[in-house]
Amino acid sequence: MGWLRRRRRPAELPSARQLLSLMDAAPTGWILLDPLGQVRHVNPRAEQLLASNIALPADGLPLESLCSDAELAACVAIARRQDRPQRLEWRYRDEDLDVRVVPTSGGWLGVQLQTRRSLEAQLEQQERWVSDVAHELKTPLTALLLVGDSLAARVNSGNAHLVERLQRELKRLQELVGDLLELSRLENTLPGSGLRLSTVDLPDLVQQVWAGLRPLAEQRGIVLEVLASPGLAIQADRSRMHRALLNLLDNALRYSPDGEPVQVSFASSVGWMLVVVRDRGAGFSDEDLEHMFERFYRGDPARVRSPRAGSGLGLAIVQQIALSHGGRVQARNDPDGGAVVELLLPLHLQSLQPLSGLQGPA
């Protein structure tokens, strides 16, 4: 799909009329708001969910005319002010709805409405499918690993390298299955739900994560530099935060030249914490910056300094962990060389503050 997006010509893009037709055919409700907050389109499913059937005048109507609700209005206002998607679990006329407010270019907003019953049914079906696939994959992989261990004890020295390669590839497949299961669980969990929140000292957790990577780093003369002051803690799921930091540091280690440090720094503002991971490698290509958080995307292998191959799921998992905590992750190139990945997290998940002026150390 990324290739299609890059190759598509502007003349092939759908018109506004075609987009509205697609919206009308959608199984979920959609409301389109212009930059002034006026309702410009309501699809049939949204009319059904809101029990409303109004004819919009040429100059539109305020959202309150369609649905007067302070909670929904606040969600729309936050999405517009922060210019990032918002999600709301909303009770309206005895119906539990899942609401997503999505900012687009030019100040337009899309409001998606979906019944919690249909959403939960979809999630349940996906979870069953993932569980079935995991069972089918993990069982033969475990058996093959046992066969590999048995062969390793029996083959002669001339064939030992073949068995070692078999074991290495089987372990890589086992890790891939584990990553896919973890990503599926994260994608099928609503933000803020399923988290075991506790106070997490981020610099301390970074050091713990690096301890597991240190043997690989020492082989290449790479050290970790942590720029932090005491007391940099957030409320988060410690296990998932460990996984996010592990994936970020492992990614930086793969792309770092031998003998160059990996640096982690922190910045905080009212209600927010920014974790900045830097390496001194070749940086990201334009294609990397466009696709690096997608499933199974891998950058140019010529830029990888480590012989270890990744699954292509690590940064996608980081993104889902960030979203589950009400944060986000983004990447850029350092003007002085190297790559930078920034993980932005709220200090307290229950009390998100508007984001403004937060930058990592130069």
Side-chain angles (χ1 to χ4, degrees):
M1 290 300 294
W3 182 85
L4 290 175
R5 285 197 298 270
R6 293 194 299 275
R7 296 296 295 267
R8 179 181 289 159
R9 297 177 180 176
E12 298 174 356
L13 293 174
S15 65
R17 186 181 298 276
Q18 289 172 319
L19 289 174
L20 292 179
S21 297
L22 290 172
M23 189 180 293
D24 285 344
T28 57
W30 278 99
I31 303 170
L32 186 62
L33 303 177
D34 68 15
L36 298 178
Q38 304 292 308
V39 178
R40 290 299 180 178
H41 190 75
V42 184
N43 77 345
R45 180 56 176 157
E47 290 181 347
Q48 182 183 20
L49 291 172
L50 298 177
S52 175
N53 187 6
I54 62 173
L56 295 176
D59 57 351
L61 288 173
L63 180 61
E64 292 76 14
S65 299
L66 180 65
C67 173
S68 180
D69 183 89
E71 195 174 12
L72 178 61
C75 185
V76 169
I78 292 173
R80 189 179 297 281
R81 183 171 64 249
Q82 298 186 1
D83 193 30
R84 64 190 185 102
Q86 297 294 317
R87 201 163 190 173
L88 171 68
E89 295 181 14
W90 186 38
R91 180 80 174 174
Y92 183 74
R93 293 190 176 181
D94 299 325
E95 184 74 75
D96 291 322
L97 300 178
D98 182 72
V99 180
R100 291 189 182 188
V101 184
V102 184
T104 64
S105 60
W108 289 76
L109 293 177
V111 181
Q112 183 190 40
L113 307 173
Q114 186 172 8
T115 63
R116 296 280 296 168
R117 288 176 297 173
S118 62
L119 179 62
E120 288 168 356
Q122 291 176 25
L123 296 180
E124 184 179 350
Q125 183 179 10
Q126 290 181 19
E127 288 171 358
R128 283 200 305 268
W129 181 84
V130 169
S131 178
D132 291 343
V133 170
H135 176 75
E136 294 299 325
L137 288 175
K138 290 178 71 175
T139 301
L141 278 176
T142 301
L144 287 171
L145 282 167
L146 292 174
V147 171
D149 293 341
S150 177
L151 287 174
R154 299 182 183 184
V155 298
N156 56 45
S157 57
N159 294 323
H161 69 285
L162 296 176
V163 177
E164 290 175 1
R165 181 178 178 183
L166 172 66
Q167 290 176 309
R168 185 167 58 250
E169 292 301 316
L170 287 173
K171 289 178 181 177
R172 188 179 69 83
L173 284 174
Q174 192 176 48
E175 291 175 359
L176 175 61
V177 170
D179 285 349
L180 186 57
L181 286 171
E182 177 67 12
L183 183 57
S184 297
R185 281 192 291 267
L186 288 166
E187 289 179 337
N188 292 326
T189 302
L190 295 174
S193 64
L195 299 178
R196 298 180 178 179
L197 298 178
S198 63
T199 301
V200 179
D201 186 314
L202 287 178
D204 180 67
L205 186 57
V206 166
Q207 294 287 4
Q208 292 181 33
V209 170
W210 185 256
L213 297 172
R214 185 174 289 116
L216 297 172
E218 289 178 345
Q219 293 175 7
R220 300 172 51 210
I222 297 175
V223 298
L224 176 69
E225 296 179 352
V226 179
L227 308 179
S229 56
L232 294 176
I234 65 172
Q235 290 293 312
D237 186 310
R238 185 180 185 85
S239 175
R240 289 186 175 175
M241 204 51 54
H242 185 284
R243 181 61 184 274
L245 292 172
L246 174 62
N247 289 1
L248 289 177
L249 290 173
D250 185 54
N251 188 74
L253 186 58
R254 292 176 194 275
Y255 287 91
S256 290
D258 292 355
E260 294 288 343
V262 170
Q263 185 186 89
V264 181
S265 57
F266 301 84
S268 61
S269 182
V270 178
W272 293 91
M273 177 74 70
L274 183 67
V275 184
V276 183
V277 180
R278 284 182 170 87
D279 65 58
R280 301 301 179 190
F284 299 117
S285 67
D286 291 341
E287 185 176 10
D288 289 341
L289 292 173
E290 183 180 357
H291 301 291
M292 60 188 294
F293 295 108
E294 297 176 3
R295 284 186 178 205
F296 298 112
Y297 177 78
R298 293 181 182 176
D300 183 357
R303 299 190 304 110
V304 180
R305 303 304 180 95
S306 169
R308 296 179 301 117
S311 66
L313 296 173
L315 292 179
I317 290 174
V318 173
Q319 178 172 253
Q320 290 302 319
I321 291 174
L323 292 173
S324 72
H325 283 78
R328 66 172 182 256
V329 63
Q330 59 190 21
R332 59 181 174 86
N333 286 317
D334 192 316
D336 296 327
V340 179
V341 181
E342 298 174 332
L343 178 62
L344 180 67
L345 299 163
L347 297 180
H348 301 280
L349 191 60
Q350 291 83 359
S351 57
L352 298 183
Q353 300 293 326
L355 178 63
S356 62
L358 184 59
Q359 296 181 343

